[in-house]
Every structure is written in structure tokens, then in C-alpha cells.
Amino acid sequence: MSESGNTEKKLKLPSVNLKLPAFKKQTENNHEQLPDETRKRSVIYKIGEVIRILCLVLYRLRSVFLSIPVIFAALRLAAYNSEHLPLLVGLDLQTTGEFARTISRQSAVTIPLMITAGCLALMFLSKKTLYPWLISIFSLAIPVLLLITNMYPA
């Protein structure tokens, strides 16, 4: 018992002394002290990181990169067809050599352009980029087929 009348016991915890190995930071200042293999690995690692970032950016912007040639070709075909198609464009060529329906030149130019634009919009909105892109590529054949069937009917 203590003089003040306090009956508490003081517990002593054993002290733990952990010695961890000291690691050197790889900074620009001590880069010269590193062995050649470590320097080569760090350079290769940095190059790999740059390539990985570039691939990630290209993958995320694949819709934009795929759509640029399709837009260019669609606009070129629309401009060409607006100059070279007759005023009335025939659709559904019959075996007799006559067309089942006729539409105006403006409709024959804008409808394939709208189909291609719709395919590209689907490409931007969907996770699967390649399927709508392929459909938009095939939709570029519509103006060409309209031109061929109206320039050289049966």
C-alpha cells in the first residue's frame, strides 16, 4: 500500500524495438549510385508506362478515330451524288428496265447520309464500337449503288 492509500498497481509493458532495414529512395540525386540493371529497368518501366497510357487514350477515343474516315467518305459521296444524280432517282429496278419508285435527288442524297449518321450515333452511344462502325461502312454503299443503278439502268 502506498502512503496516499491508493491500491492501484502499475503495469509495465515490455518495449518492442523493431529495426527495419533502411530503404533508399530512388530519386534523381542518387540515380547515379544505382547499378546499371536497375537504371535500365526503371527506364524500361517508364517507357512501358508511357506506352500503356497512349494505348489507353487510343482505346477510349477509338470511336472518334473510326468515325473520321466514315464521315469524310459519306460527305464526299453525298456531294458527288448531288452533282451527278438525275433530278428523279429511281429505286427498285424491275426486270423490264423501269423503276418501281422514284424519289428526288435531294432525298437520294440525304437519306443515305442520315443512315450513316445514325450508325455513327449508335457507335458513340454503345460499348461495342465495331458493330455499328461496320454497318456505317456498309451504309456507304447505298449512294454508290444509287448512282450505278441510275447511270447505267439495265
Side-chain angles (χ1 to χ4, degrees), residues 62-64 66-68 70-71 74 112-137 139:
R62 69 188 183 274
S63 298
V64 175
L66 289 173
S67 67
I68 289 172
V70 174
I71 293 170
L113 198 58
M114 289 179 6
I115 291 171
T116 304
C119 291
L120 290 176
L122 286 174
M123 182 178 73
F124 281 111
L125 296 175
S126 71
K127 288 183 180 180
K128 305 281 185 189
T129 303
L130 202 57
Y131 301 132
W133 180 74
L134 286 174
I135 294 169
S136 68
I137 292 293
S139 71

Side-chain angles (χ1 to χ4, degrees), residues 4-18:
S4 64
N6 197 355
T7 58
E8 293 180 9
K9 292 183 179 179
K10 292 185 179 181
L11 297 175
K12 287 189 175 181
L13 297 175
S15 63
V16 178
N17 228 354
L18 295 176

Side-chain angles (χ1 to χ4, degrees), residues 44-152:
I44 290 174
Y45 177 75
K46 289 177 184 177
I47 291 172
E49 283 295 312
V50 169
I51 290 173
R52 187 185 66 79
I53 290 170
L54 285 175
C55 290
L56 184 67
V57 168
L58 289 176
Y59 180 76
R60 291 198 178 171
L61 294 177
R62 69 188 183 274
S63 298
V64 175
F65 293 130
L66 289 173
S67 67
I68 289 172
V70 174
I71 293 170
F72 180 74
L75 291 176
R76 293 281 295 189
L77 285 170
Y80 185 82
N81 278 353
S82 66
E83 293 174 3
H84 292 90
L85 281 176
L87 288 175
L88 288 175
V89 178
L91 297 176
D92 195 18
L93 186 62
Q94 302 293 318
T95 56
T96 60
E98 295 180 6
F99 292 106
R101 289 188 63 194
T102 57
I103 58 173
S104 68
R105 178 193 309 172
Q106 190 64 28
S107 295
V109 170
T110 56
I111 291 173
L113 198 58
M114 289 179 6
I115 291 171
T116 304
C119 291
L120 290 176
L122 286 174
M123 182 178 73
F124 281 111
L125 296 175
S126 71
K127 288 183 180 180
K128 305 281 185 189
T129 303
L130 202 57
Y131 301 132
W133 180 74
L134 286 174
I135 294 169
S136 68
I137 292 293
F138 287 122
S139 71
L140 291 176
I142 296 171
V144 174
L145 292 174
L146 282 173
L147 185 67
I148 290 173
T149 57
N150 283 280
M151 296 300 268
Y152 309 106

